[in-house]
Amino acid sequence: MDRGARLPRPSRRLAGLLLAGTMLATTPALAQDATGTDTTTFGEPLRTQTGTTGQTATATDATTGATTPILSADQQAAIADEDVTGAIRRTGPESERLNLAEGSVDDLRSRTADDPYEPTGIRLGTFVLKPSLTQGLGFERNRSGNTSTNRTFSQTSIRGSLTSDWSRHQLTIDAEGIYQRNISGTGETEPQARIDGDLRLDLSDDTIANITGGYAFERESSSDPNAVDGASVQSGLQTLTGGARVTRDFGLIRGTLGTQIQRRTYGSATLGDGSKLDLSDRNYTEATVTGRVGYELSPALIPYLEASVGRSFYDDKRDSLGYERSATTLGGRAGVEVDLGEKLRGDLGVGYEQASFDDNRLDAIRALTVDGSVFWSPQRGTDLRLGLQTQIEPSTTGGQSGYVSYAANAELTHELRDNLVARLSGAYTWRNLPEALGTDQNIYLVGTGLTWNINRWLAMTGDVSYELTRQARASDTGVTRAGIGLTLRR
């Protein structure tokens, strides 16, 4: 295994990351998401968690079908959602009904007359279900130095969203799962699953509470510094989350207080000789409390200050190498929320974070953080989504603390015709590794795709992507993916 240590503060590389994010944000718009399209992106497989894998890719919104770049489960819905800023919708006395009605399934003509490709959904009592099933065929080529492997595989994806239609409060549940089976060649399959729920409680005109919960499964990336060298199958990573937050307006002041608990467990890795390596000493539970205070300069512009404190508890007081890796995390940042309606909205903040470990042999990890998500629509039918994230990643190497990961990704979508949508995406991840773990690692990802909405119930998709991992004094690793799929939806 590879392992990690004290991290130097980011300097030129961080400036380069910020510049890359700015360039992505100003790239001419080439693509837009198709309303009512539910697709499976073979070029950039869904990653439900960034966490320890640090791998950036895309996910597909089960309701709108928009392929949305993500960095972790925590930000997964932030970029594409109407409340991308993280602030909770306000309620007011001017409306007795706080939620817009979903409408009757038997009376959808008026609602969908302008868009013949929008799925109608299925009414289940006071809920509306929008399911989809995608079956596709994919090809993947992995190249490392002079060695390459190919595989052809089938991929089945199930996605769905369940939304309440209540006059007050709202419950939303989103779920998706991907199953792969190799048809020919060799290569590790990438099964994934995710389910997230959010119950919004409208306590008063000025106070809203949210209760959230979720589950995610993915396989740890072979390129991660904590991955097992030479393993034929990496560890399966399961994440359980639960949290609550309350937001209240005090005139021009907006305050938010929230807590989140995350439980992360690791399965065994399969070695080249078929034996299993137990990684349960990496299992931990983390609790975090976050407070934010914002000042409303205008309804569209709210600068804020945020502080957080967290504590991680490992199941084993000492890992297999004898180190106590439970830690206390402190963080703070300053940022701004912007909401200009459909044209521009987002949340961008800069701050500082520190993780201190119980074992005094492990140095504290300190990092300058840049986090945010932005949605920009320069013209009707063209959308740009941009995400930035900083993460402190603990190590599994004796005597080493961990490293800092910086990631940026963007996606452009453009509606070529009413039923034809083009996508262009890009992502960059910089793993700022200490000398004990080797030189810094850079991961680049580019991808493109098309979605053809045949009718309201059927769509066809095609995607191609290329991912390059570069590290000094190590062989470059390139992964080429291509796929085509057919989606049934309701």
Side-chain angles (χ1 to χ4, degrees), residues 168-463:
R168 191 175 180 86
H169 316 304
Q170 186 176 61
L171 174 63
T172 302
I173 300 175
D174 294 306
E176 54 193 331
I178 292 179
Y179 171 76
Q180 293 183 352
R181 182 175 63 86
N182 287 343
I183 299 174
S184 65
T186 59
E188 188 176 355
T189 58
E190 298 178 350
Q192 297 159 44
R194 178 186 66 85
I195 182 169
D196 293 304
D198 187 346
L199 174 61
R200 192 194 74 219
L201 302 175
D202 307 311
L203 302 181
S204 70
D205 292 344
D206 299 318
T207 306
I208 295 178
N210 284 73
I211 301 174
T212 60
Y215 167 82
F217 171 84
E218 67 173 345
R219 203 175 296 285
E220 189 166 35
S221 171
S222 297
S223 64
D224 190 279
N226 289 325
V228 179
D229 290 338
S232 59
V233 179
Q234 295 293 340
S235 168
L237 170 59
Q238 299 186 74
T239 304
L240 283 168
T241 58
R245 69 177 183 270
V246 177
T247 296
R248 180 174 177 82
D249 287 345
F250 302 90
L252 297 178
I253 303 296
R254 175 181 298 179
T256 301
L257 180 64
T259 182
Q260 180 170 344
I261 298 177
Q262 176 178 273
R263 169 69 176 171
R264 182 164 289 179
T265 60
Y266 293 81
S268 299
T270 303
L271 304 181
D273 59 4
S275 61
K276 302 287 187 178
L277 178 62
D278 182 26
L279 299 177
S280 61
D281 63 331
R282 297 173 62 184
N283 297 348
Y284 70 89
T285 302
E286 182 176 30
T288 304
V289 177
T290 302
R292 175 186 288 197
V293 176
Y295 182 79
E296 185 179 293
L297 295 178
S298 72
L301 188 64
I302 303 177
Y304 64 82
L305 293 175
E306 182 179 282
S308 64
V309 57
R311 176 69 180 171
S312 63
F313 304 90
Y314 279 73
D315 292 3
D316 298 337
K317 184 176 181 180
R318 298 180 183 273
D319 64 13
S320 59
L321 298 176
Y323 288 87
E324 298 181 48
R325 295 197 175 272
S326 297
T328 300
T329 303
L330 299 174
R333 66 174 181 148
V336 60
E337 300 174 11
V338 178
D339 188 355
L340 299 178
E342 295 182 355
K343 283 296 183 182
L344 177 67
R345 58 185 183 270
D347 180 329
L348 182 64
V350 178
Y352 178 82
E353 188 172 355
Q354 174 178 305
S356 302
F357 298 87
D358 289 356
D359 199 315
N360 56 19
R361 294 172 294 175
L362 300 175
D363 297 325
I365 303 176
R366 301 176 179 87
L368 175 65
T369 63
V370 182
D371 299 276
S373 54
V374 177
F375 173 86
W376 177 43
S377 181
Q379 63 183 33
R380 185 176 180 82
T382 300
D383 296 327
L384 169 67
R385 293 177 175 87
L386 172 68
L388 298 170
Q389 186 185 41
T390 304
Q391 283 191 312
I392 290 180
E393 303 286 2
S395 177
T396 58
T397 301
Q400 307 302 324
S401 304
Y403 64 94
V404 180
S405 174
Y406 295 93
N409 71 347
E411 182 185 64
L412 288 165
T413 59
H414 180 66
E415 190 176 288
L416 301 175
R417 298 181 59 183
D418 289 346
N419 65 338
L420 186 62
V421 176
R423 298 183 299 277
L424 178 65
S425 58
Y428 169 66
T429 300
W430 169 38
R431 291 172 177 162
N432 184 209
L433 304 177
E435 292 183 2
L437 280 179
T439 56
D440 290 353
Q441 192 176 75
N442 299 275
I443 302 174
Y444 309 88
L445 175 68
V446 292
T448 186
L450 286 173
T451 297
W452 174 32
N453 293 306
I454 300 173
N455 54 41
R456 195 185 303 277
W457 321 114
L458 189 64
M460 182 173 288
T461 64
D463 297 275

